[in-house]
């Protein structure tokens, strides 16, 4: 398996798996509403979990979204370019913007998440989510840029293949 | 002052680089990072600012208001995949199709109710175009009229609640309003919510629908050849049961969602969650929900949501760097030095946004431009709900304006070749005029926007 196939497959699998959380959010929010208005019970941890599922969806799904070309582009000119022209834009974009951005964010996030693990951080709300959840979520700030960078490398390989093909 | 010019240079560079077509989220963040890096080397940028970055990203992950976005997207995508919009259009046009202009009005109403699922102007215009343009042309509507109605109603859904654009705008306005009040020395600031924006958008949105419908009726009366009535055929014999089935459930759903938010019974997130559940039940009731389709809905929701929030992350890196170079002071200095005070400032901001609307979509402008200009304008004493709705309608107008409007490009993409580009341009011009008229009306009578939120929330 080439690295490109491998990275694409990772993004695809994680994206599809994570997408189930959207359904879970819908169901859980409905339960929260019923609990609140019918049984007059507010469940902080449930509300917090919906928020965090939402965070996991867009962070972990970012690489999958890149694979499926759904991060919007300003395509007034891009859509009129040749396949080769587009590949050149993608190549430069990945090298100049995507990889440095992801590298920088992952690097900065490392200390951020490590601090949360070391102090056993918990939710500030009483009745909120218990320990490992907050440090786990802060670790997603590392996962997202790493996953997007891998998908970016796959994009890079694809662009180079197109440019070389002539 | 030189440093502030760097900030403006950053802004202009980002716009230019975006035109190359690399995904917006990474271009925004990447360009800003390069500027920050150079700034750190020359000593003009405080590197410590960048260390707050992970915390900002975490703040976006932890933003409870914006949880409504994926839930509304889920609801919209479910309604779309369950062919509810198609059913609605077919039934309405069967019902009104034999009247002059009936089909045009049906398209407008469907656009108003169901076009807002994604917040991407292109996507909604494409959906509306695929759905209604062939029918309109087949029934002898002139290409001009058809194109105008589709572009206008396709973009209209963006500003009619419950739309995700208003959720995002509401969130951005909330923090802009707080910032403005803190700068004015008000330490127990008033707040503005997504609900306020929904309420504020209702009357202007319905006003636009009314104006569109009046225009369609006028064309039907004075230029009947461009909008012939449809002779009854077998397709038109819709039974009351059919009408009831196609019309009532989706209408009830939209009204329940909107009503519960406006009545203050539910938060936007709760209403969106229950709305999404309602849409699922509706789809199951119509036997339109297979496992494969459910997976499509979930994956599509994930991609749209990720697209939106990565732009937000990119935009927040951009605004961090922009502020770091003192860009917000620069913008304030420029806006405050304009002749005409607050009126002059609003006009200039609206013009700039109108022009930016030719290249950037709602989401980017909401996350990139509004946080920069919002606090300054609000500190001049403007009402946040009024400003938010004016921005929304202004952008909608921009998306319709030839030759660069987004909506026109996307309709061009799905229109058959016999519809020419000049015909599309000619068709939307009356609607652009209607938009400008509405903007003027709302500027002269701001109560049209602020009255309803005041009644509901007493703010």
């Amino acid at each position: 398996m080439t690295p490109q196939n491998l990275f694409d497959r990772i993004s695809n699998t994680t994206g599809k798996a994570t997408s189930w959380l959207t359904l879970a959010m819908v169901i859980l929010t409905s339960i929260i509403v019923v609990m609140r208005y019918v049984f007059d019970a507010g469940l902080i941890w449930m509300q917090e979990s919906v928020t965090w599922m939402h965070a996991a969806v867009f962070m972990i799904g970012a690489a999958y979204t890149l694979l499926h070309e759904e991060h919007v582009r300003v395509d007034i000119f891009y859509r009129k370019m040749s396949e080769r022209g587009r590949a050149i834009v993608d190549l430069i974009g990945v090298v100049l913007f995507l990889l440095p951005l992801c590298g920088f964010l992952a690097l900065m996030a490392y200390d951020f998440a490590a601090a949360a693990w070391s102090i056993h951080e918990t939710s500030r709300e009483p009745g909120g989510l218990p320990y490992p959840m907050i440090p786990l979520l802060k670790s997603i700030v590392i996962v997202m840029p790493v996953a997007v960078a891998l998908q970016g490398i796959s994009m890079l390989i694809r662009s180079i293949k197109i440019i070389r093909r002539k | 002052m030189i440093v502030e010019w760097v900030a403006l240079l950053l802004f202009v560079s980002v716009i230019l680089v975006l035109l190359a077509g690399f995904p917006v989220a990474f271009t925004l963040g990447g360009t800003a990072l390069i500027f920050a890096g150079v700034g750190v080397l020359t000593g003009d940028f405080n590197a410590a600012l960048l260390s707050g970055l992970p915390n900002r990203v975490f703040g976006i992950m932890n933003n409870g208001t914006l949880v409504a976005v994926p839930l509304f997207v889920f609801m919209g995508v479910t309604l779309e995949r369950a062919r509810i919009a198609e059913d609605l259009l077919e039934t309405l046009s069967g019902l009104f199709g034999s009247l002059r202009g009936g089909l045009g009005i049906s398209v407008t109403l469907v656009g108003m109710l169901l076009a807002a699922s994604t917040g991407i102007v292109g996507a909604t215009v494409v959906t509306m175009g695929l759905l209604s343009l062939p029918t309109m042309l087949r029934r002898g509507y002139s290409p001009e009229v058809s194109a105008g109605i589709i572009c206008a109603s396709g973009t209209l859904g963006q500003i009619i609640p419950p739309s995700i654009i208003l959720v995002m705008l509401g969130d951005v306005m909330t923090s802009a309003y707080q910032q403005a009040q803190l700068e004015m020395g008000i330490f127990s600031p008033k707040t503005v919510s997504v609900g306020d924006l929904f309420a504020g958008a209702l009357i202007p949105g319905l006003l636009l629908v009314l104006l569109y419908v009046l225009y369609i009726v006028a064309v039907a009366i004075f230029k009947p050849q461009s909008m012939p009535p449809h002779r009854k055929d077998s397709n038109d014999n819709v039974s009351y049961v059919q009408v009831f089935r196609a019309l009532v459930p989706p209408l009830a759903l939209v009204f329940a969602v909107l009503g519960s938010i406006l009545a203050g019974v539910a938060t936007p997130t709760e209403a969106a969650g229950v709305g999404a559940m309602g849409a699922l039940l509706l789809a199951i009731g119509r036997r339109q929900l297979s496992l494969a389709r459910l997976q499509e809905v979930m994956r599509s929701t994930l991609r749209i949501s990720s697209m939106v929030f990565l732009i937000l992350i990119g935009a927040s890196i951009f605004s961090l760097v922009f502020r770091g170079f003192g860009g917000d002071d620069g913008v304030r200095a420029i806006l405050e030095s304009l002749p005409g005070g607050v009126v002059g400032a609003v006009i200039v901001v609206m013009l700039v946004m109108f022009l930016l609307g030719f290249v950037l979509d709602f989401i980017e402008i909401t996350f990139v431009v509004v946080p920069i200009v919002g606090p300054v304008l609000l500190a001049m004493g403007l009402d946040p709900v009024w400003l938010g709705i004016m921005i929304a309608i202004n952008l909608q107008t921009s998306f319709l304006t030839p030759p660069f409007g987004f909506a026109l490009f996307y309709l061009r993409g799905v229109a058959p070749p016999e519809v020419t580009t000049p015909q599309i341009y000619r068709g939307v011009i009356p609607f652009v005029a209607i938009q400008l008229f509405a903007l003027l009306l709302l500027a002269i009578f701001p109560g049209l926007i602020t009255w309803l939120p005041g009644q509901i929330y007493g703010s």
Side-chain angles (χ1 to χ4, degrees):
Chain A
M1 197 188 301
T2 65
Q4 190 192 353
N5 290 339
L6 176 68
F7 295 159
D8 285 359
R9 191 176 286 190
I10 294 174
S11 302
N12 225 352
T13 314
T14 52
K16 284 180 183 171
T18 313
S19 74
W20 283 94
L21 288 178
T22 61
L23 181 65
M25 287 169 65
V26 171
I27 295 172
L28 212 53
T29 310
S30 306
I31 295 176
I32 292 171
V33 171
V34 172
M35 295 295 273
R36 172 111 74 103
Y37 294 104
V38 181
F39 301 106
D40 201 24
L43 295 170
I44 304 272
W45 67 267
M46 263 183 144
Q47 273 171 0
E48 283 192 350
S49 16
V50 173
T51 306
W52 296 124
M53 283 179 190
H54 153 64
V57 164
F58 74 78
M59 294 292 276
I60 299 175
Y64 174 75
T65 309
L66 186 62
L67 170 68
H68 288 271
E69 270 300 314
E70 287 208 28
H71 284 297
V72 279
R73 303 166 180 267
V74 175
D75 61 354
I76 319 178
F77 301 116
Y78 186 83
R79 109 183 86 181
K80 290 178 189 154
M81 290 178 194
S82 63
E83 201 189 3
R84 192 182 153 84
R86 292 181 185 186
I88 293 173
V89 167
D90 286 348
L91 176 86
I92 296 175
V94 170
V95 173
L96 211 57
F97 302 135
L98 190 146
L99 290 178
L101 187 65
C102 289
F104 184 75
L105 189 58
L107 218 63
M108 302 295 273
Y110 181 79
D111 288 340
F112 177 72
W117 284 107
S118 74
I119 61 164
H120 286 235
E121 190 174 343
T122 53
S123 169
R124 258 175 266 167
E125 300 280 336
L129 291 175
Y131 175 72
M133 289 316 287
I134 300 291
L136 213 54
L137 286 159
K138 289 195 167 174
S139 305
I140 291 183
V141 187
I142 311 175
V143 173
M144 184 278 274
V146 171
V148 170
L150 292 182
Q151 192 55 50
I153 291 170
S154 152
M155 200 172 167
L156 189 74
I157 298 171
R158 191 169 53 226
S159 314
I160 293 173
K161 277 184 190 159
I162 293 172
I163 294 168
R164 276 199 175 163
R165 205 165 56 201
K166 295 234 170 122
Chain B
M1 194 58 203
I2 302 240
V3 184
E4 286 164 15
W5 285 108
V6 176
L8 296 185
L9 181 69
L10 166 64
F11 185 80
V12 174
S13 313
V14 161
I15 304 287
L16 290 179
V17 176
L18 279 174
L19 290 176
F22 196 67
V24 173
F26 309 112
T27 308
L28 276 172
T31 313
L33 203 61
I34 293 174
F35 267 75
V38 174
V40 169
L41 291 180
T42 61
D44 290 316
F45 190 87
N46 180 1
L49 281 176
L50 290 175
S51 63
L53 208 55
N55 213 4
R56 282 197 151 214
V57 174
F58 196 65
I60 292 169
M61 292 166 63
N62 195 4
N63 182 325
T65 312
L66 293 177
V67 179
V69 170
L71 294 171
F72 275 132
V73 171
F74 195 107
M75 172 176 143
V77 176
T78 308
L79 291 178
E80 186 194 306
R81 296 286 150 94
R83 318 210 168 285
I84 285 165
E86 266 151 300
D87 260 21
L88 198 59
L89 185 65
E90 257 168 41
T91 316
L92 280 176
S93 61
L95 210 56
F96 301 126
S98 56
L99 301 172
R100 253 178 220 292
L103 178 59
I105 294 172
S106 305
V107 172
T108 309
L109 295 180
V110 172
M112 167 184 105
L113 287 172
L114 294 173
S117 68
T118 62
I120 312 158
V121 173
T124 53
V125 172
V126 165
T127 311
M128 291 295 293
L130 289 173
L131 211 60
S132 23
L133 189 58
T135 320
M136 295 174 99
L137 295 176
R138 199 171 55 239
R139 294 200 183 170
Y141 274 49
S142 77
E144 283 93 345
V145 169
S146 313
I149 293 174
I150 290 170
C151 289
S153 50
T155 52
L156 180 70
Q158 302 283 339
I159 60 160
I160 291 206
S163 84
I164 69 161
I165 291 299
L166 291 175
V167 176
M168 296 189 262
L169 206 51
D171 186 61
V172 172
M173 275 293 164
T174 307
S175 39
Y177 194 40
Q178 265 174 356
Q179 204 185 324
Q181 292 182 93
L182 283 176
E183 276 162 23
M184 291 157 80
I186 301 169
F187 288 99
S188 54
K190 282 185 286 185
T191 57
V192 52
S193 68
V194 172
D196 285 316
L197 242 72
F198 277 12
L202 203 59
I203 293 177
L206 294 177
L207 174 76
L208 281 170
V209 173
L210 181 72
L211 291 172
Y212 290 178
V213 169
L214 285 179
Y215 169 72
I216 294 170
V217 170
V219 173
I221 293 171
F222 296 109
K223 276 179 70 187
Q225 68 281 8
S226 65
M227 211 184 262
H230 178 58
R231 239 176 293 127
K232 281 257 178 209
D233 61 33
S234 57
N235 283 336
D236 285 354
N237 288 326
V238 285
S239 68
Y240 286 111
V241 179
Q242 250 177 308
V243 172
F244 185 84
R245 278 198 37 170
L247 223 55
V248 174
L251 282 182
L253 185 65
V254 171
F255 284 119
V257 167
L258 192 55
S260 60
I261 299 171
L262 292 183
V265 182
T267 64
T269 304
E270 289 170 343
V274 175
M277 181 56 93
L280 276 179
L281 296 177
L282 213 64
I284 293 172
R286 294 178 176 225
R287 303 188 201 292
Q288 291 280 5
L289 196 79
S290 56
L291 177 65
R293 193 165 278 165
L294 176 65
Q295 282 176 327
E296 270 174 44
V297 170
M298 296 186 315
R299 288 170 194 169
S300 182
T301 305
L302 172 128
R303 292 195 297 264
I304 293 171
S305 170
S306 188
M307 179 275 287
V308 168
F309 285 91
L310 256 76
I311 293 179
L312 179 52
I313 291 174
S316 87
I317 298 171
F318 169 84
S319 57
L320 185 77
V321 175
F322 187 80
R323 292 228 165 87
F325 280 115
D328 46 350
D329 296 329
V331 169
R332 173 172 303 113
I334 291 171
L335 287 179
E336 283 175 352
S337 68
L338 291 171
V342 67
V343 178
V346 169
I347 292 175
V348 168
V349 166
M350 289 293 173
L351 274 176
V352 171
M353 283 192 180
F354 187 87
L355 295 176
L356 287 174
F358 290 155
V359 284
L360 300 182
D361 208 333
F362 250 121
I363 307 168
E364 292 96 302
I365 294 180
T366 305
F367 290 148
V368 176
V369 186
V370 179
I372 297 173
V373 295
V376 185
L377 291 178
L378 294 177
M380 291 173 158
L382 288 177
D383 182 281
V385 178
W386 182 83
L387 184 62
I389 304 303
M390 290 298 277
I391 290 173
I393 299 180
N394 179 31
L395 286 177
Q396 193 212 343
T397 313
S398 163
F399 299 148
L400 285 177
T401 302
F404 297 113
F406 262 115
L408 314 173
F409 275 115
Y410 285 104
L411 184 67
R412 172 72 278 164
V414 293
E418 64 262 28
V419 177
T420 66
T421 304
Q423 281 174 328
I424 297 180
Y425 289 176
R426 276 201 300 277
V428 294
I429 285 172
F431 287 94
V432 174
I434 291 176
Q435 296 286 125
L436 293 175
F437 173 70
L439 274 173
L440 193 67
L441 212 59
L442 296 170
I444 299 171
F445 304 108
L448 288 170
I449 295 172
T450 54
W451 177 77
L452 192 59
Q455 287 297 306
I456 293 175
Y457 300 100
S459 55

